[in-house]
Amino acid sequence: MGARREVVSVVTERYRSAKRAEKGRILDELCATTGWHRKHAVRALRRREAVGPGEVEATRKRRRRYGATIKDALTALWEASDRVCGKRLKVMIPTLLPALERHGRLSRTVTVFWLSAPPPSIACSSM
């Protein structure tokens, strides 16, 4: 088992920097050497590197799509609508925005933005 890990660790860097055709040849070599199926070999080569014993490298976080002001505005809209789903919230936004604007909870730029936002974007941001 340890010998296979050593082989994978040696081949991993070459696999990650290779083009598609070269990756196929590397996989063939690894399968012939270790006796693994191709799918298992691909998973072994794509596995994240261990940082320490029992620890795995942290996954990359997604870049934020909207700023804090827009997120806060959406949270206010979502709370005012009794936390409905994104598709229903999109329909309710035109009626909710004037009321929240009158009470000073939203600015005009945020209002314009949320009127043009697609429902999936609203659903992902409100949770």
Side-chain angles (χ1 to χ4, degrees), residues 47-100:
R47 188 172 295 135
R48 294 190 194 331
E49 294 180 23
V51 177
E55 296 178 13
V56 177
E57 180 182 309
T59 58
R60 289 186 286 170
K61 301 266 183 186
R62 275 193 198 175
R63 208 182 82 208
R64 289 197 181 267
R65 180 176 274 180
Y66 307 116
T69 56
I70 292 184
K71 178 88 169 157
D72 293 341
L74 180 63
T75 304
L77 284 167
W78 189 51
E79 290 288 333
S81 67
D82 201 23
R83 298 181 177 195
V84 297
C85 69
K87 287 183 180 181
R88 291 186 177 148
L89 182 59
K90 171 67 177 170
V91 176
M92 296 172 75
I93 284 177
T95 56
L96 289 173
L97 284 177
L100 290 173

